């Protein structure tokens, strides 16, 4: 179960529940949505969905893109064609986790707009979560 906090005056918890289907395939439910998560065949899975690591990269890419789009809409800027490419290298012993974000900006944006969107990109909630201090609370419940 993952719990995330949004900034602001009130705390809002989000919930994701992963239930084992078979092998390494899990059905993940969050809100009214379901996602199949699996490991690739070379890792012993059936490759029926993205891996948890891929979902982490997807969360960062999509949150960054949405954050930039929301800001641009408030400014009245057209960001049609905006894309965020996230490349993620998980930490190995003695190495740090690496995220590389490539912002593919529409050619019609000017230099000032592009610079502002780059600043805004780092303010997305997933980016801030990954950058910040994280705490875990774990417990066991028997079914």
């Amino acid at each position: 179960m993952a719990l995330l906090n949004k900034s602001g005056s009130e705390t809002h918890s989000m919930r994701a529940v992963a239930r084992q289907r078979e092998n390494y395939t899990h059905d993940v439910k969050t809100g009214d949505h379901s996602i199949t998560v699996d490991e690739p065949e070379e890792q012993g899975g059936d490759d029926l969905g993205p891996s948890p690591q891929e979902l982490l990269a997807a969360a960062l890419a999509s949150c960054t893109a949405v954050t930039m789009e929301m800001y641009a809409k408030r400014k009245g800027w057209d960001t049609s064609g905006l894309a965020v490419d996230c490349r993620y290298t998980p930490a190995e012993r003695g190495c740090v986790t690496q995220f590389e974000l490539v912002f593919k900006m529409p050619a019609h944006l000017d230099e000032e707009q592009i610079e502002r969107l780059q600043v805004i990109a780092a303010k997305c909630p997933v980016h801030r979560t990954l950058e910040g201090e994280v705490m875990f609370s774990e417990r066991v419940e028997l079914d």
Side-chain angles (χ1 to χ4, degrees):
M1 177 171 62
L3 296 177
L4 304 175
N5 291 326
K6 286 184 174 179
S7 62
S9 58
E10 66 182 61
T11 301
H12 176 76
S13 294
M14 290 167 248
R15 183 176 184 189
V17 178
R19 294 203 186 279
Q20 183 180 13
R21 191 190 304 168
E22 60 185 356
N23 207 8
Y24 295 127
T25 306
H26 286 74
D27 293 318
V28 178
K29 180 138 175 73
T30 178
D32 294 330
H33 307 283
S34 294
I35 305 163
T36 298
V37 178
D38 200 357
E39 291 292 334
E41 289 179 3
E42 60 269 14
Q43 298 293 322
D46 295 319
D47 202 22
L48 297 176
S51 72
Q53 301 281 349
E54 290 169 323
L55 286 177
L56 183 57
L60 180 56
S62 59
C63 186
T64 301
V66 168
T67 299
M68 289 192 299
E69 182 182 357
M70 291 171 87
Y71 179 82
K73 280 191 177 187
R74 283 194 302 271
K75 294 290 188 178
W77 301 345
D78 175 16
T79 55
S80 300
L82 172 72
V84 176
D85 181 353
C86 177
R87 297 174 191 189
Y88 165 48
T89 305
E92 293 183 20
R93 185 165 286 185
C95 298
V96 297
T97 299
Q98 294 182 359
F99 291 95
E100 177 187 6
L101 295 170
V102 177
F103 308 124
K104 299 180 180 189
M105 302 280 193
H108 62 266
L109 293 177
D110 64 38
E111 192 174 315
E112 186 177 315
Q113 290 171 315
I114 290 170
E115 286 176 13
R116 189 67 194 139
L117 288 172
Q118 283 182 279
V119 169
I120 293 301
K123 297 180 185 295
C124 93
V126 172
H127 191 290
R128 288 187 323 215
T129 299
L130 291 170
E131 263 186 339
E133 187 175 332
V134 178
M135 294 177 22
F136 294 90
S137 173
E138 300 169 357
R139 71 173 190 257
V140 173
E141 294 179 354
L142 301 176
D143 274 339

